[in-house]
Every structure is written in C-alpha cells, then in structure tokens.
Amino acid sequence: MSPSASSAWRPQREVEIVAGTPPGGGLDRTARALLRALESKRLLDVPVKVTNIPGDGGRKAWAYLDRHPAEPHVLAISSANLITDRLLGKGAFDHEAAFTPLAILYTEYIAFVARTDSPIKSGTDLLQRLGADAGSLTIALSISIGNPNHIALAKVTKHAGGDAKALRIRVFDSALDASADVVAGHADVGAITAASPVKELAAGTLRALAVSAPRRLAGLYEQAPTWTEQSVDCVVGAWRGVTGARAITPAQIAFWESVLKAASATAEWDADLTRHHWTSNYLDGASLRGFLERERTEMTAVLSELGLLKE
C-alpha cells in the first residue's frame, strides 16, 4: 500500500518543490532527485513540479514559502543555512518557528578545489598559503556566508594560523558558478559541495585538494585526502532536507514523513546518492527535532569560535 493510500490526508492538487538555487545548483539537484524518486514508485497521486527561486543566498525561496502558511502542497529543500543565517543576522526566518521541518535526506561534504595549473597543488600548499597570508587568497563558495562551506573554510584557515576574516570570498547562488569562477581564474580556490565540480574534475580543469568528509569519497575523489588525513580537524557536512509551511496539520506532516521515507528507500534515490557523492542520513520526527536542536547549539559554538556569530 502506498503512503498516499494509507494516510488520513493526501494532496488534492499539484505539489510544488521549491529550490533556492538555479537549475543545476545544489538545492535544485536535491529537488530533482526527490522528484525522480517520487515518480519512480508513483508515491503521489497528483502532479509534482520543481520551482527554482534563487537569490539572496536562498532566502528568496524561504520568503516564498513564508507566503504560503498552512499550505501542505508547497515544500522547500532546506539546508543548514536556514539555521546559520539567523545566527549571523542575515536572515529573518527561524527554521522551526517560521516553518515545519519534515525530514533530512542526506549530507554532502565540501570539496576544496583549485585549477590544475595552480601553484596550490595540495592541501598542504593551501594550508601554507592560508597561514602565510590568508588575505592574498580569493575563495569561491555558495550559497551564503556562514554556511557549512564557509565554516569548513574558516576551520581550515584557523588550523593554518591564518585570519578567516581576511579571506576574500566570492559568493554565488550556485556552486556550479563557483566552480566556473575558479576555472576562469577569478578565484584561487573553491570550497564547494562535492557534486558540483565533478564535470571539471573529469575534464582535468580542476584538481581536488581535500574533502571535509570523515573518510575519502569514491570515484573522482578517491585520490583526494580528507582534511583529517592531513591532521586538520575539519569534518563538516552540508545536510539537505525538506521543509513545509508553518501551521500544516499533524495528518499532513505524517503524510509527508511517510512519503519522504519511502522516496529515500527507492533504487532511484540510491543511484543519485552514489552519482552525487551524497551520504544518506534520513531523519524525521523526534530524531529530526533532536538533530536540529543539536545543530543549532553546535553551529552557535562554531560560529562564535570563528568570530562569525552576530553579537
């Protein structure tokens, strides 16, 4: 029996999945993968579409969801910046007060990349540059200051003895644009989600210096050491999840939890996890709420330690 058939509530019209990045961007990849999983097992009886609302570090997408209170047919792909934005004073929305967290789907780790002809050829080279003169480096990242990409970068810089505030950072609405910025030579290094520079790594225009994962990633990243391997305390992941509008009902929450769990168990979803170097980390219900509470506490401590927390 499908989740829609067993629930006391189910969608009555088209469902919209909102992604706060352009087509091809990180949140868009999540939305498209979720759409494929939903359609592969016909988990919904209504049409589903992805709506891209990029801009302002993903905050335009949250403003859109905020305009749909109690509307269970609009979902948004969420990430850690919904927590860090408020801590940094850059966003007005609070994840749990303004919206309804439904699930975390997976974690994506951060790849540090440079052009193949760059003098920065390894994590050791990058550490030396960061320690000697962090302000001489330009770093490309997405989608906002204070997100996991930036936190990973700041942790590496601090380990090297450099000043994270001195870094020249270029922020893009899509990690694909951040990758292109490094290829074009406008940035020395990119700190971007691992799925984003795969095309450039395969073409040989970029080199992976290190990843922020607890262990080496597969495929194109097999030769890229983790920061831990290089004696740097930097295991930082960018989780992706699904969030609903505020004030949706318990029955609607239960429906979406059952559907999202079913989608995450499909072969299509597993294929996307492998293709995009994602690490499965499905959470909902009490486990999700506990995770978000711990995440807020940990992010507050990390941002404070790195001098990024809003006073």
Side-chain angles (χ1 to χ4, degrees):
M1 181 176 290
S2 70
S4 60
S6 62
S7 175
W9 177 88
R10 60 183 181 181
Q12 301 301 307
R13 56 183 181 276
E14 184 177 56
V15 169
E16 184 176 15
I17 303 174
V18 179
T21 55
L27 302 180
D28 175 74
R29 280 194 295 269
T30 311
R32 305 288 171 179
L34 179 58
L35 177 60
R36 282 190 292 273
L38 291 170
E39 291 180 339
S40 72
K41 296 299 181 183
R42 299 183 179 179
L43 295 174
L44 296 176
D45 299 326
V46 297
V48 187
K49 69 176 181 179
V50 173
T51 300
N52 296 93
I53 308 179
D56 196 23
R59 299 176 196 104
K60 288 186 177 180
W62 296 118
Y64 179 83
L65 184 61
D66 187 57
R67 294 195 294 271
H68 293 79
E71 173 52 84
H73 296 86
V74 180
L75 307 175
I77 301 300
S78 52
S79 61
N81 73 297
L82 192 51
I83 292 175
T84 58
D85 276 357
R86 189 164 180 89
L87 296 175
L88 292 164
K90 296 182 177 294
F93 298 118
D94 181 88
H95 194 285
E96 294 181 85
F99 306 115
T100 305
L102 296 171
I104 284 177
L105 301 174
Y106 67 87
T107 296
E108 185 170 15
Y109 293 100
I110 313 305
F112 287 68
V113 298
R115 281 171 53 123
T116 51
D117 60 359
S118 168
I120 303 173
K121 299 186 180 302
S122 66
T124 299
D125 291 341
L126 178 56
L127 290 169
Q128 290 174 346
R129 285 288 302 275
L130 290 170
D133 185 6
S136 69
L137 288 172
T138 299
I139 313 293
L141 57 80
S142 66
I143 56 174
S144 64
I145 292 294
N147 72 349
N149 307 48
H150 189 202
I151 289 172
L153 172 63
K155 287 175 75 70
V156 172
T157 304
K158 181 179 180 181
H159 175 91
D163 181 2
K165 293 181 179 179
L167 292 164
R168 292 178 293 180
I169 297 178
R170 291 165 60 83
V171 181
F172 296 87
D173 280 332
S174 169
L176 297 180
D177 293 332
S179 295
D181 197 56
V182 180
V183 172
H186 301 310
D188 301 294
V189 173
I192 49 185
T193 47
S196 301
V198 164
K199 180 180 177 181
E200 291 80 3
L201 291 172
T205 54
L206 290 181
R207 172 190 290 114
L209 308 174
V211 293
S212 68
R215 60 191 63 84
R216 290 199 185 196
L217 302 177
L220 290 168
Y221 287 101
E222 286 179 341
Q223 301 305 313
T226 66
W227 279 120
T228 303
E229 287 180 75
Q230 301 176 75
S231 301
V232 180
D233 180 16
C234 180
V235 177
V236 177
W239 56 262
R240 310 295 192 200
V242 180
T243 292
R246 67 179 181 274
I248 60 176
T249 69
Q252 291 161 352
I253 293 171
F255 172 85
W256 284 121
E257 287 178 347
S258 67
V259 166
L260 294 170
K261 182 172 288 186
S264 72
T266 63
E268 286 74 15
W269 182 255
D270 282 342
D272 273 318
L273 290 176
T274 300
R275 179 164 52 250
H276 296 309
H277 304 281
W278 296 342
T279 300
S280 182
N281 182 34
Y282 186 87
L283 294 171
D284 63 17
S287 297
L288 170 63
R289 291 189 292 273
F291 173 87
L292 292 175
E293 184 176 341
R294 293 191 301 274
E295 180 84 347
R296 187 187 304 278
T297 299
E298 291 171 7
M299 286 294 188
T300 300
V302 169
L303 292 172
S304 177
E305 179 184 358
L306 296 173
L308 299 174
L309 189 66
K310 178 179 172 59
E311 295 296 336

